[in-house]
Amino acid sequence: MSDELLINVTPMECRVALIQNGTVNELFIERTAKRGLVGNIYKGKVVRVLPGMQAAFVDIGLSRTAFLHINDMVWPRNQAIPNVFELLQPGQILVVQVMKDMLGTKGARLSTDLSIPSRYLVLMPYGNHIGVSQRIESDVERERLKNIIERIQKQHKLPGSVIVRTAAEGVSEEEIAQDMAYLAKLWKHIQRKQQLVSVPSLIFEELPLPQRVIRDLANENTAKIYVDSREVHGKLAEFVEEFVPMMKNRLGHYPGERPIFDLYNIEEDIQKALQTRVALKSGGYLMIDQTEAMTTIDVNTGSYVGGRSLEDTVFKTNMEATQIIARQLRLRNLGGIIIIDFIDMQESHHREEVLLQFERMLERDHAKTKITQVSELGLVEMTRKRTRESLEHLLCESCPICQGRGFVKTAESICYEIFREIMRYARAYASQSGFTVVAHPLVVDRLLTTEATSVADLEHFLNRVIKFQVENLYTQEQYDIILS
């Protein structure tokens, strides 16, 4: 697999696209005015303790108080879960790290179990073990890395747990030692700063998006990294020289007149990723509906009839859908509970093969995913770790016309609402005043044409005159009734 990282920089925002085999699979966006908070370490104050939820709200200086649950706190795990009041009191000062950005109306999610990443390692100062990424499958390599960490950790007198990242596979002891030295220096800096700053304050800020993406995603499969800003290219060159020297010859400045995201039709892919319907090459399609509670994905055969039988057609459509769904989860950054309704298959071995293929596709995802079960109705239930807002929530807002429902009432429905409202007015006001209806052009047009007989009947019944006035600025559901 050949990967490329394309970095588009403007004064307002930075966007990074991960290209795999010529297709954009992941998109990262960081706006200057709204930088992500995940990874940041703060000195905060407990505002309120919630014993019923075993949690607390903590002021870390953001617009909303952040949320800290007891499961995200440091306490001896060989003991029973303590009561939250045993660990937290209102007014208590804490050093915490953001695990999840503020999403919608929810505040940031916090942890007291700090996690400080470098290129090859993750330092967790309050732990006491050595872990190796599960994606490193070789037992020999896992043992080699554990032995290296034990030796170097003693040398640097570094406390806590160390997790070896996937990028460390095959890396020399010298390079890992450099990473460990960097983490030791950084941890001392954090400890010093937390003693000096007031409450609430930012103690440590995560790297900007371009450096963060190179640290976390660049590997031996990365063929090139292009950035269209000469200034950012200079900063990345320094970062790569110090932390990721293997990428030195793969980092390049893109000076072309054609926008860098146009090279791979990324702008078009972004627009498609905001649509509900996703076409499959076979003629089938997906329907992706994102709600606050969960995301549902429905697979349909559409116009595809290429199989030898209905079962064959369904099977092939589902197999293609597994690849596209896995890609859409990453591209749209969908998280939380996800329900997938594959087309019903009669053959049990077909169902097993589709599920196995889907699990293989999910292995490429950098976010943690888990298929919990296949329900009795054949629905695949899964979760995907959510740490930042989805593409839709980042780029869009609720429609002011439909209020986020995705539909508006028909002109016919509004006409009947107006009739009922006029009846209420007539009962409420005994005078013989007439009525002026102010409404959207389509509603007024229907009242004067299709509903003209109903209007005449209503005028006769109430013995009052009803007039109409067009207001082009009104939405289809807006109207006013004025006594005239």
Side-chain angles (χ1 to χ4, degrees), residues 408-420:
V408 295
K409 293 176 184 175
T410 63
E412 179 184 31
S413 298
I414 300 301
C415 288
Y416 297 160
E417 277 189 23
I418 290 171
F419 293 156
R420 290 192 294 271

Side-chain angles (χ1 to χ4, degrees), residues 442-454:
L442 291 178
V443 175
V444 173
D445 181 64
R446 186 177 181 93
L447 287 166
L448 294 174
T449 55
T450 310
E451 305 297 339
T453 303
S454 299

Side-chain angles (χ1 to χ4, degrees), residues 67 190 268 345 355 425:
F67 182 80
I190 290 171
E268 184 181 342
M345 293 168 284
L355 193 59
Y425 272 52

Side-chain angles (χ1 to χ4, degrees), residues 10 20 52 59 61 89 111 117 130 143 146 152 157 160-161 200 262 276 280 296 299 354 376 390 439 445 482:
T10 65
Q20 294 179 314
D59 178 16
Q89 296 293 329
S111 172
I130 296 173
E143 192 61 32
K146 279 186 178 181
I152 301 175
K157 298 178 180 178
S161 299
D262 287 358
T276 302
L280 304 179
T296 60
V299 185
V354 166
E376 292 181 3
S390 68
D445 181 64
I482 303 169

Side-chain angles (χ1 to χ4, degrees), residues 359-372:
E359 289 174 340
R360 282 199 295 265
M361 294 296 105
L362 291 176
E363 288 175 0
R364 304 173 186 176
D365 200 333
H366 296 102
K368 185 178 180 180
T369 60
K370 181 182 180 183
I371 296 178
T372 56

Side-chain angles (χ1 to χ4, degrees), residues 211-267:
Q211 287 92 327
R212 195 165 70 242
V213 166
I214 291 176
R215 180 195 69 193
D216 295 341
L217 300 184
N219 53 42
E220 65 277 1
N221 294 323
T222 306
K224 57 185 176 182
I225 304 169
Y226 274 156
V227 56
D228 61 5
S229 164
R230 192 174 296 279
E231 180 185 353
V232 174
H233 175 263
K235 292 178 180 178
L236 289 180
E238 294 176 5
F239 178 80
V240 165
E241 180 77 37
E242 182 173 359
F243 297 106
V244 203
M246 63 178 287
M247 293 293 143
K248 184 177 180 181
N249 296 326
R250 306 181 201 184
L251 175 66
H253 173 241
Y254 175 75
E257 293 185 7
R258 188 183 178 197
I260 191 169
F261 270 28
D262 287 358
L263 292 177
Y264 292 90
N265 298 317
I266 296 172
E267 300 290 4

